């Protein structure tokens, strides 16, 4: 059985941000997709979807994780990262398991120090400065929709397509030409000339 791509689902998570990524890693990457919560209790996404996590953070086997996705949501700006989630992310980072954070979730990984020494992006440099006390990684900040550096993927909340593309590259989903075409089609909303 293949490793799983784990999607963190917490109350109010931005359900659309990881949607392209999880659909394609499952369909074309042949990865299992699992949802993980702080507990196994049901949560409601920002869009009102009720999700029952398949596992709790404390139940994850690091050896089973192909990648870990943290979607955005308003919670990241208001609350500190729960200790059990902080522990898991540190373990994943030490094990060189890809971590992918989009939108407000970039605040969480910056607060935990996971961006140190790595190129990264977010919803803007000033956004990170405003929400991460003591943020001192501006020299590694890249003003780009999505950035991938040494197993860490970060993206703006407006860059769900680019976020997915970087995860595909990290996990070897599609070949380079297919990834570029996929991103072009979903970003432009136009099929290439001659496509059925």
């Amino acid at each position: 059985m293949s490793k799983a791509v784990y999607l963190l689902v917490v109350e109010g998570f931005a359900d659309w941000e990881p949607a392209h990524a999880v659909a394609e890693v499952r369909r074309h990457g042949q990865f299992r997709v699992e949802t993980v919560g702080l507990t196994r209790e049901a949560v409601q996404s920002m869009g009102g979807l009720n999700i029952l996590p398949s596992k709790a953070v404390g139940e994850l086997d690091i050896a089973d994780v192909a990648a870990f996705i943290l979607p955005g949501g308003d919670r990241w700006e208001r609350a500190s990262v729960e200790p059990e989630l902080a522990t898991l992310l540190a373990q994943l980072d030490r094990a060189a398991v890809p971590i992918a954070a989009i939108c407000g979730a970039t605040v969480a990984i910056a607060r935990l120090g996971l961006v140190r020494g790595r190129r990264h992006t977010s919803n803007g440099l000033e956004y990170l400065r405003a929400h991460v006390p003591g943020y001192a990684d501006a020299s590694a900040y890249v003003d780009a929709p999505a950035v991938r550096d040494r197993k860490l993927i970060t993206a703006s909340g407006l860059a769900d397509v680019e976020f997915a593309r970087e995860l595909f590259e990290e996990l070897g989903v599609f070949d380079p030409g297919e990834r570029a075409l996929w991103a072009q089609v979903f970003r432009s909303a136009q099929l290439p000339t001659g496509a059925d």
Side-chain angles (χ1 to χ4, degrees):
M1 185 181 284
S2 68
K3 289 185 175 186
V5 171
Y6 282 88
L7 172 65
L8 182 69
V9 293
V10 291
E11 196 66 30
F13 78 96
D15 41 23
W16 68 92
E17 291 173 345
H20 284 299
V22 295
E24 301 296 1
V25 298
R26 182 173 176 270
R27 287 177 61 218
H28 296 286
Q30 306 301 311
F31 289 94
R32 293 177 2 258
V33 173
E34 301 274 352
T35 53
V36 60
L38 297 171
T39 69
R40 282 187 180 230
E41 304 248 339
V43 297
Q44 189 172 74
S45 73
M46 195 179 285
L49 300 176
N50 291 310
I51 307 288
L52 187 63
S54 53
K55 292 185 192 247
V57 164
E59 299 173 325
L60 252 65
D61 174 5
I62 302 294
D64 185 49
V65 184
F68 193 86
I69 300 173
L70 293 94
D74 298 335
R75 78 181 317 270
W76 302 118
E77 297 170 3
R78 297 189 307 260
S80 57
V81 179
E82 290 79 3
E84 62 272 25
L85 179 57
T87 298
L88 173 64
L89 292 171
Q91 291 170 338
L92 292 168
D93 190 47
R94 280 194 302 275
V97 173
I99 296 171
I102 184 169
C103 194
T106 60
V107 167
I109 61 164
R111 285 181 182 157
L112 295 173
L114 296 178
V115 298
R116 286 194 193 113
R118 292 173 169 148
R119 291 176 305 111
H120 61 281
T121 196
S122 181
N123 293 333
L125 181 56
E126 293 310 315
Y127 173 82
L128 277 184
R129 285 181 169 147
H131 293 291
V132 182
Y135 173 74
D137 297 290
S139 63
Y141 186 86
V142 180
D143 188 14
V147 174
R148 184 169 55 93
D149 187 1
R150 290 172 288 150
K151 307 291 182 183
L152 180 68
I153 298 165
T154 52
S156 157
L158 301 176
D160 58 323
V161 170
E162 293 81 1
F163 178 71
R165 185 193 62 221
E166 293 298 333
L167 185 62
F168 301 160
E169 188 162 342
E170 186 68 42
L171 296 176
V173 176
F174 300 124
D175 66 37
E178 290 170 327
R179 280 193 294 271
L181 179 60
W182 181 92
Q184 175 191 340
V185 166
F186 279 96
R187 184 48 69 208
S188 69
Q190 294 182 354
L191 291 173
T193 305
D196 295 355

